[in-house]
Amino acid sequence: MRFLTKSVKRNNHPKQEKPPNRKPAVTAAYLSFTQEQIEQRLEVARQRSTACDLCPRKCQVDRLADQKGFCGLGNSALISSINLHHGEEPPISGKSGSGTIFFSGCNLACVFCQNYPISQLRHGHPMTSSELAAKMLNLQIRGAHNINLVTPSHVVWPFLEAFALAVELGLEIPIVYNTSAYDSIETLALLDGIVDIYLPDLKYADDAQAKRLSQADDYWETATRAILEMHRQVGFLKTDQNGIAVRGLILRHLVLPGGLAGTRQVLDFLRQNLGAQTTVSLMRQYFPANRAHDLPPLNRPLYDEEFKVAKDLLERFELDKGWIQE
Ligand code: SF4
């Protein structure tokens, strides 16, 4: 794989495709697990949800009793949408699409969140584990290359409950964990061998900005530790003969106006700690949303010059595997 000078256009309106009705080309590492091993992971996650510490906020509320913490979710997952998505990075979307499940709620509260009706207003509908398992299997039948969990950090236990059922019924495509990187090491340990592809967005290098913009004053240490753990589990990105992701880490970074994301420090961290083999997806899709209109410089799109500086940094740090999304 080489660095693409051609930009990847993200597609915010996923197309529905006719089901190709064929066996998946890429199967998942979790197929080596016994059902009992998956159930054990689920049981630990369920227990931890009774004094919830599924994510670094450690709210200690009893989620099983429908108490709600920072993420606003109680005893079930809320689903915003489930689709075949064609706008993710090429090895994730492939030709047939990525089977995306958009979970409502979030353990961050970004002032500029472009999905804030889903993440902060929690628009969505509850789904039982068996309903969610059936949806996963349906995505597989429709040809999805993977099951792509979008914003899953606060719903790991409902996901595992549905996943255990889906595997029993024949799920065999890889799981993608698509996250803000504000993840607990202990929760990631429960996903070791279950998640094949980690897709974290390293959002800030500066905790003061993370606190002001996302209410996460320990973001940098938490997110960087989480990314190192993700990399320990799955390593660098590997693709099959068709270029479809089989396993590994793809690191996203959204460049913010005014240098608020700390792009230089983010890329320096990746180069120093993971090395030049790291697959990076550099994104410039920022536009003002949610409360950003009142918070300059977040009230404007990114300048061309700001993104050029970010692209030059990729070159300077020799991070030449991945994509630029403009
Ligand atoms: S998952 Fe939700 S309730 Fe649990 S610790 Fe995180 S924010 Fe709090």
Side-chain angles (χ1 to χ4, degrees):
M1 190 181 304
R2 66 184 177 81
F3 183 75
L4 302 179
T5 49
K6 198 174 85 179
S7 304
V8 174
K9 291 276 184 198
R10 284 171 67 82
N11 180 355
N12 293 322
H13 303 285
K15 287 181 275 181
Q16 301 287 328
E17 282 208 338
K18 272 187 84 176
N21 201 17
R22 56 174 168 68
K23 271 195 83 72
V26 176
T27 53
Y30 59 75
L31 294 176
S32 65
F33 278 38
T34 63
Q35 199 64 26
E36 192 183 8
Q37 286 173 311
I38 297 173
E39 296 283 347
Q40 282 168 355
R41 302 279 184 97
L42 167 60
E43 192 46 39
V44 174
R46 194 185 272 134
Q47 279 303 318
R48 286 180 47 198
S49 303
T50 61
C52 191
D53 66 352
L54 283 179
C55 91
R57 297 210 180 262
K58 295 185 167 57
C59 298
Q60 301 289 316
V61 295
D62 186 350
R63 298 273 301 275
L64 296 190
D66 208 27
Q67 293 175 0
K68 298 174 177 74
F70 185 94
C71 63
L73 267 282
N75 62 8
S76 67
L78 286 180
I79 309 294
S80 165
S81 64
I82 297 180
N83 286 304
L84 278 180
H85 198 327
H86 296 267
E88 302 283 41
E89 287 79 358
I92 303 294
S93 283
K95 281 193 177 159
S96 304
S98 175
T100 46
I101 300 175
F102 286 85
F103 292 103
S104 305
C106 185
N107 67 346
L108 293 181
C110 304
V111 294
F112 53 84
C113 181
Q114 295 166 1
N115 290 325
Y116 75 96
I118 300 167
S119 61
Q120 292 171 37
L121 303 181
R122 295 183 283 283
H123 291 176
H125 48 277
M127 206 173 266
T128 65
S129 299
S130 47
E131 287 169 334
L132 185 53
K135 295 284 186 187
M136 290 184 200
L137 290 163
N138 181 255
L139 287 167
Q140 178 171 285
I141 290 166
R142 290 165 62 197
H145 294 295
N146 44 62
I147 299 295
N148 185 348
L149 310 172
V150 184
T151 321
S153 309
H154 58 302
V155 286
V156 166
W157 129 71
F159 157 68
L160 284 173
E161 201 166 70
F163 172 76
L165 287 171
V167 172
E168 211 168 5
L169 295 170
L171 187 75
E172 55 184 10
I173 52 178
I175 302 294
V176 179
Y177 192 85
N178 185 337
T179 170
S180 67
Y182 196 56
D183 284 287
S184 145
I185 296 292
E186 293 76 16
T187 300
L188 292 175
L190 295 177
L191 300 170
D192 192 357
I194 289 176
V195 169
D196 285 283
I197 300 144
Y198 281 105
L199 192 53
D201 176 7
L202 186 48
K203 301 174 79 66
Y204 311 101
D206 178 1
D207 282 340
Q209 297 300 349
K211 180 179 183 181
R212 185 171 75 94
L213 304 177
S214 295
Q215 296 184 43
D217 56 8
D218 57 349
Y219 180 83
W220 176 250
E221 188 186 340
T222 303
T224 50
R225 280 181 62 215
I227 285 165
L228 293 176
E229 168 61 14
M230 293 173 194
H231 185 260
R232 186 197 66 75
Q233 290 184 19
V234 298
F236 295 116
L237 179 67
K238 293 185 191 69
T239 57
D240 70 1
Q241 67 277 14
N242 298 314
I244 305 300
V246 175
R247 192 168 172 81
L249 177 80
I250 299 175
L251 201 296
R252 284 178 168 171
H253 178 67
L254 176 69
V255 183
L256 293 178
L260 295 180
T263 301
R264 176 187 295 274
Q265 295 95 313
V266 165
L267 298 181
D268 187 33
F269 165 81
L270 296 178
R271 185 66 176 85
Q272 298 293 332
N273 292 277
L274 299 183
Q277 295 299 308
T278 311
T279 302
V280 181
S281 184
L282 190 72
M283 307 186 292
R284 79 159 291 177
Q285 296 95 323
Y286 180 81
F287 63 84
N290 196 9
R291 285 167 283 150
H293 299 281
D294 303 323
L295 292 167
L298 292 172
N299 59 349
R300 61 161 173 86
L302 203 67
Y303 296 143
D304 289 344
E305 181 57 31
E306 289 174 312
F307 197 63
K308 182 177 181 308
V309 168
K311 288 192 288 188
D312 289 347
L313 284 167
L314 265 185
E315 273 191 39
R316 187 179 312 168
F317 289 116
E318 299 174 319
L319 291 163
D320 60 359
K321 297 190 184 332
W323 307 272
I324 293 171
Q325 299 191 49
E326 299 196 66

